[in-house]
Amino acid sequence: MKGKKQQNKNGFFEKFASKVTKATGSTAAFLSAFLVVIAWAVSGPIFNYSETWQLVINTGTTIITFLMVFLIQKAQNKDSLAIQLKLNELVASNQESSNSLVDIESMTEEEMIIIQKYYHKLSELAKKEKSIKSSHSIDEAQDLHDRKHKKAKPN
């Protein structure tokens, strides 16, 4: 029973965060915020540019910024997960792809740098070829490169 309540709370927050993120990223939200700032600036002479007048905008923007940081992070986490899952599906479904990339986000930075070097080498080999479609993997690129050099060298 406790798990069901937690799931409902998470589902509610998920929907709420999604709607607020979409709404705050809209033109209407920007125009509303812009008009609030203009109204605040225009009201400055009415309040003699008092500390209270300044405190209103400072407090309001600080609170909104504080809350939006968490909503934006929630939205980015969800989007990032969705992209990772889509890419994992593409990698896993391609027979030519290396399945070691499916869970790359779990690797350490050092492991990712090793893989980055691997793809840099592939890029360097591809630059030597005349066609960008000539290879799909390091092994294939290296084999193709080696075969071409063997043909070019006289026995």
Side-chain angles (χ1 to χ4, degrees):
M1 185 70 178
K2 192 174 186 180
K4 187 78 165 175
K5 276 188 176 182
Q6 186 67 30
Q7 200 172 26
N8 287 340
K9 286 180 186 177
N10 288 343
F12 170 77
F13 182 70
E14 186 103 12
K15 289 176 187 174
F16 172 77
S18 180
K19 286 180 183 180
V20 171
T21 303
K22 284 180 184 175
T24 56
S26 69
T27 303
F30 172 79
L31 291 175
S32 298
F34 182 75
L35 290 174
V36 166
V37 171
I38 296 297
W40 171 80
V42 168
S43 70
I46 298 167
F47 296 102
N48 296 320
Y49 301 101
S50 68
E51 287 184 24
T52 304
W53 172 78
Q54 292 177 30
L55 193 60
V56 166
I57 197 74
N58 288 340
T59 303
T61 56
T62 300
I63 290 169
I64 290 169
T65 301
F66 178 75
L67 294 174
M68 286 306 298
V69 164
F70 295 102
L71 284 174
I72 290 168
Q73 188 61 51
K74 172 75 173 156
Q76 283 184 327
N77 289 348
K78 184 178 178 184
D79 288 347
S80 177
L81 181 59
I83 289 168
Q84 287 173 5
L85 292 171
K86 288 177 183 181
L87 290 173
N88 286 347
E89 174 62 21
L90 290 173
V91 169
S93 67
N94 186 338
Q95 290 178 354
E96 307 286 319
S97 295
S98 169
N99 286 339
S100 65
L101 297 179
V102 170
D103 195 31
I104 196 166
E105 62 274 3
S106 302
M107 292 182 179
T108 65
E109 189 173 352
E110 291 80 23
E111 291 170 324
M112 287 185 193
I113 290 170
I114 291 168
I115 292 174
Q116 181 186 33
K117 288 177 183 175
Y118 186 83
Y119 283 105
H120 179 73
K121 183 178 178 183
L122 177 61
S123 172
E124 291 300 317
L125 291 171
K127 286 178 186 175
K128 294 177 184 177
E129 305 301 326
K130 292 184 180 184
S131 170
I132 61 171
K133 298 179 180 181
S134 62
S135 63
H136 298 94
S137 70
I138 291 282
D139 295 334
E140 187 179 331
Q142 189 65 55
D143 288 346
L144 184 60
H145 183 74
D146 291 345
R147 276 186 272 143
K148 285 185 177 184
H149 284 286
K150 283 180 186 175
K151 285 183 183 178
K153 288 183 183 180
N155 288 335

